[in-house]
């Protein structure tokens, strides 16, 4: 049954596979920077060491947070600019444009070399790449969601987080491999930054093999193209009952929105009936996600593992790589097997409780069993307490991957109508990147200054903030995108049903008229 469903929706899965190479870049870029800056050659080359050869912690924290956070700064503006662009030219061509922008930034970071201005070039490249990543992260989920049938939409949209996890894992192992074999050359940053061009190229060329979103086409009045693309994606005849019914539902929702909000412009997008609460949810869900602790671990995994006793570059990078593998496997298992079974609310709540509990345990162990002080450059086997904390982090990321990792993107993609989805996804992505920037900027200093208290802080956010939020939001599992207006009060269920029937009667009249015309000509 599952195989038949996958085969029937193979074109949608292919579209998601192509589009989400950009999301692999999202994960890769977030994981690569912390490992690059932790490389000894990078620190020596760009003057991050003291006169006696020891690491200048303050300067290293500053550069590390800058290299990570300027990406988020660029992404914030890229996400905001994506809304009017994708509304005007469509999802597909918007992604093509942002991928090209990202590639320019990747080239800038790769060619940086001079000790005097190399960091400035890396910062500039990260800002430009961030602008591209921000636009991609905002448009890609909307594009995939609008093309996916509702029975597998959560699973397909959830591939977003699988690709993020895959990108993070690849970044960790590239850093680890370089640290083992190429640690005394400029390749410690050139190879990781240059590798970004590989998935960017795959995505760029792959976009020419996929179709534009039927929902976007219908929303701009290109109904014939919308019908053709919808039939192609569903592998059905253009006049099949299922295609006509889905198209009628799409058009009914669009006409309702236009009739109710004609001429209201940007104001109606945010303050139209039933809309404001959706934008609040989109903003808050990503605020909480960024303060869950995962991004602090993900961006600065080598530093986090060093703080719990994995001393030495090799130990910390290897522990980070294992963390990446666990995250990928856990994310894929949940998204492909359970996202449509447990539901959004239950998954988010269980995820928050599990993460918070494990962070409390890690904080307690780190307080009572602090790791031994190790001389610079020395690599020793981690003590049992450190191994226990690493195990807790691996279990923690399993809980993250079953809820607060993939589901915020799935949930936000669920709740917005066609007319305002690009604004909703843009705000969600901007919120994600804004708080991403804040967290990535302050994390190095928090690790140095707070120690075990960092984990206790994240635990509190997990249990009180995220757990409570999960209990308050409505369930969206198994509901169509057009059902969201009913759930959030934009229209009553009776009105929606009448509008769908009206659209179906109109399609039937059009089909009858067309058939009669063909017979008369014959």
């Amino acid at each position: 049954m599952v195989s038949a469903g996958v085969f029937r929706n193979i074109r949608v899965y292919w579209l998601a596979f192509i589009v989400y190479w950009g999301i692999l870049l999202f994960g890769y870029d977030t994981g690569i920077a912390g490992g690059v800056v932790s490389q000894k050659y990078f620190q020596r080359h760009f003057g991050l060491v003291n006169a006696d050869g020891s690491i200048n912690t303050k300067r290293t924290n500053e550069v590390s947070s800058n290299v990570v956070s300027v990406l988020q700064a660029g992404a914030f503006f890229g996400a905001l600019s994506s809304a009017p662009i994708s509304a005007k030219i469509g999802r597909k061509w918007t992604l093509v444009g942002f991928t090209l922008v990202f590639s320019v930034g990747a080239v800038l970071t790769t060619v940086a070399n001079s000790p005097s201005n190399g960091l400035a070039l890396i910062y500039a490249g990260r800002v430009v790449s961030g602008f591209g990543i921000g636009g991609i992260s905002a448009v890609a989920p909307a594009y995939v969601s609008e093309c996916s049938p509702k029975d597998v939409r959560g699973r397909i949209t959830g591939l977003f987080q699988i690709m993020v996890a895959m990108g993070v894992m690849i970044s960790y192992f590239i850093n680890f491999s370089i640290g083992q074999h190429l640690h005394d050359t400029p390749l410690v940053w050139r190879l990781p930054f240059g590798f970004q061009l590989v998935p960017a190229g795959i995505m760029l060329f792959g976009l020419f093999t996929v179709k534009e979103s039927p929902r976007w086409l219908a929303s701009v009045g290109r109904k014939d193209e919308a019908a053709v693309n919808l039939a192609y994606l569903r592998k059905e005849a253009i006049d099949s009952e299922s295609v006509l019914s889905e198209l009628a539902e799409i058009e009914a929702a669009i006409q309702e929105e236009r009739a109710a909000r004609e001429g209201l412009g940007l104001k109606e997008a945010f303050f139209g009936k039933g809309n404001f609460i959706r934008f609040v949810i989109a903003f808050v869900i990503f605020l909480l996600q960024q303060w869950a602790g995962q991004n602090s671990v993900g961006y600065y995994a080598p530093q986090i593992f060093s703080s719990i006793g994995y001393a030495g570059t090799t130990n910390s990078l290897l522990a980070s790589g294992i963390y990446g593998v666990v995250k990928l496997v856990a994310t894929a298992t949940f998204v492909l097997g359970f996202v449509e079974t447990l539901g959004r609310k239950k998954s988010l709540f269980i995820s928050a409780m599990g993460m918070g509990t494990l962070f409390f345990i890690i904080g307690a162990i780190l307080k009572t069993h602090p790791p031994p002080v190790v001389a610079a450059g020395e690599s020793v086997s981690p003590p049992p307490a450190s191994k226990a904390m690493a195990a807790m982090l691996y279990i923690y990321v399993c809980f993250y991957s079953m809820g607060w990792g993939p589901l915020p993107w799935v949930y936000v993609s669920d709740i917005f109508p066609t007319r305002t989805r690009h604004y909703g996804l843009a705000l969600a992505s901007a919120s994600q990147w804004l708080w991403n920037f804040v967290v990535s900027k302050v994390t190095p200093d928090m690790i140095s200054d707070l120690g075990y208290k960092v984990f206790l802080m994240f635990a509190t956010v997990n249990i009180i903030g995220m757990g409570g939020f999960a209990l308050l939001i409505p369930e969206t599992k198994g509901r169509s995108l057009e059902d969201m207006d009913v759930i959030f009060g934009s229209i009553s269920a009776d009105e929606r049903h009448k509008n769908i029937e009206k659209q179906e009667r109109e399609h039937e009249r059009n089909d009858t008229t067309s058939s009669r015309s063909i017979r008369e000509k014959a």
Side-chain angles (χ1 to χ4, degrees):
M1 188 71 177
V2 174
S3 297
V6 170
F7 183 76
R8 185 176 66 253
N9 295 308
I10 192 67
R11 289 168 177 165
V12 180
Y13 279 103
W14 172 253
L15 182 144
F17 172 76
I18 292 299
V19 170
Y20 282 169
W21 276 101
I23 306 308
L24 183 142
L25 285 172
F26 174 9
Y28 183 85
D29 264 22
T30 57
I32 200 67
V36 167
V37 178
S38 72
Q39 299 282 0
K40 303 302 181 187
Y41 183 86
F42 183 95
Q43 294 169 347
R44 294 195 305 269
H45 186 82
F46 291 109
L48 308 185
V49 296
N50 297 315
D52 61 359
S54 62
I55 302 300
N56 185 326
T57 302
K58 181 178 179 180
R59 176 67 175 149
T60 301
N61 283 352
E62 178 187 351
V63 171
S64 182
S65 66
N66 286 343
V67 171
V68 173
S69 63
V70 293
L71 179 90
Q72 276 75 29
F76 174 78
F77 292 103
L80 287 179
S81 67
S82 70
I85 296 173
S86 67
K88 181 71 175 176
I89 68 173
R91 316 313 191 206
K92 174 179 172 178
W93 292 107
T94 300
L95 288 176
V96 169
F98 277 114
T99 304
L100 289 171
V101 170
F102 172 86
S103 300
V104 172
V107 170
L108 291 176
T109 55
T110 303
V111 301
N113 188 42
S114 171
S116 60
N117 62 15
L119 281 177
L121 201 57
I122 289 175
Y123 293 159
R126 294 281 286 177
V127 171
V128 175
S129 292
F131 187 85
I133 281 291
I136 291 170
S137 70
V139 177
Y143 186 18
V144 173
S145 178
E146 289 174 359
C147 293
S148 301
K150 63 183 178 181
D151 56 328
V152 295
R153 191 179 69 246
R155 182 176 298 119
I156 293 176
T157 308
L159 290 172
F160 181 107
Q161 198 65 27
I162 293 178
M163 296 301 277
V164 171
M166 185 179 296
V168 171
M169 182 193 71
I170 291 171
S171 74
Y172 290 161
F173 277 105
I174 284 181
N175 276 331
F176 174 71
S177 299
I178 290 171
Q180 290 289 94
H181 305 292
L182 301 168
H183 52 82
D184 280 327
T185 75
L187 289 176
V188 297
W189 70 87
R190 285 186 163 177
L191 185 57
F193 289 143
F195 182 80
Q196 299 170 107
L197 294 169
V198 176
I202 294 172
M203 178 181 178
L204 182 61
F205 291 108
L207 282 169
F208 292 96
T209 70
V210 299
K211 300 285 188 181
E212 181 57 86
S213 161
R215 282 184 169 86
W216 177 80
L217 290 168
S219 72
V220 296
R222 294 158 63 178
K223 295 182 180 180
D224 291 342
E225 293 176 69
V228 170
N229 285 10
L230 185 62
Y232 173 83
L233 289 168
R234 300 295 180 264
K235 298 189 73 175
E236 299 274 1
I238 195 170
D239 59 351
S240 70
E241 182 179 347
S242 60
V243 169
L244 293 176
S245 176
E246 186 172 356
L247 191 61
E249 188 174 8
I250 293 169
E251 292 176 356
I254 292 170
Q255 288 192 10
E256 289 163 6
E257 292 156 10
R258 287 177 175 167
R261 300 162 184 172
E262 184 72 30
L264 293 178
L266 191 62
K267 183 179 179 181
E268 64 88 1
F270 288 91
F271 298 104
K273 185 179 179 182
N275 275 3
F276 183 70
I277 186 61
R278 298 189 233 200
F279 284 97
V280 171
I281 289 173
F283 185 84
V284 173
I285 199 170
F286 282 102
L287 183 158
L288 292 171
Q289 187 202 48
Q290 298 314 302
W291 284 101
Q294 202 302 125
N295 279 352
S296 293
V297 178
Y299 291 154
Y300 303 101
Q303 294 89 326
I304 289 285
F305 280 100
S306 293
S307 75
I308 63 172
Y310 280 75
T313 303
T314 299
N315 280 338
S316 61
L317 288 176
L318 179 58
S320 303
I322 296 171
Y323 180 87
V325 172
V326 173
K327 181 179 179 182
L328 175 62
V329 172
T331 302
T333 300
F334 172 73
V335 169
L336 297 178
F338 299 101
V339 68
E340 297 294 353
T341 303
L342 290 176
R344 319 306 194 225
K345 284 172 63 76
K346 186 182 294 184
S347 296
L348 288 170
F349 181 76
I350 294 172
S351 174
M353 294 298 106
M355 290 189 296
T357 300
L358 288 161
F359 266 151
F360 271 127
I361 294 172
I362 293 171
I365 295 175
L366 191 56
K367 169 65 174 174
T368 57
H369 296 79
V373 178
V374 179
E378 185 180 354
S379 183
V380 297
S381 178
S386 296
K387 293 179 180 178
M389 287 185 280
M392 295 296 172
L393 281 175
Y394 297 149
I395 300 172
Y396 157 84
V397 82
C398 292
F399 277 104
Y400 175 82
S401 299
M402 71 164 289
W404 280 90
L407 286 185
W409 288 110
V410 174
Y411 194 87
V412 171
S413 296
D414 282 347
I415 63 177
F416 286 98
T418 304
R419 182 172 171 85
T420 59
R421 184 172 298 111
H422 55 288
Y423 289 109
L425 269 292
L427 177 71
S429 190
S431 174
Q432 189 262 340
W433 287 115
L434 171 64
W435 296 109
N436 215 319
F437 169 79
V438 173
V439 170
S440 64
K441 185 65 178 171
V442 303
T443 292
D445 287 330
M446 285 199 306
I447 296 170
S448 299
D449 298 341
L450 297 182
Y452 75 93
K453 296 176 185 176
V454 169
F455 297 102
L456 301 183
M457 179 192 74
F458 287 138
T460 303
V461 173
N462 289 162
I463 291 178
I464 297 178
M466 297 159 69
F469 181 83
L471 295 175
L472 294 175
I473 58 176
E475 180 61 76
T476 63
K477 184 191 79 168
R479 307 295 294 271
S480 72
L481 295 178
E482 285 65 39
D483 285 340
M484 297 303 130
D485 285 341
V486 177
I487 292 174
F488 287 96
S490 296
I491 190 171
S492 69
D494 287 342
E495 289 176 289
R496 169 54 53 80
H497 184 67
K498 290 176 182 177
N499 288 335
I500 291 174
E501 288 182 338
K502 178 182 176 182
Q503 287 296 321
E504 287 177 339
R505 287 194 299 270
E506 185 175 326
H507 279 298
E508 288 172 1
R509 284 197 301 270
N510 291 339
D511 289 343
T512 302
T513 302
S514 176
S515 299
R516 186 183 301 117
S517 176
I518 292 172
R519 286 196 301 270
E520 288 173 354
K521 289 180 180 179

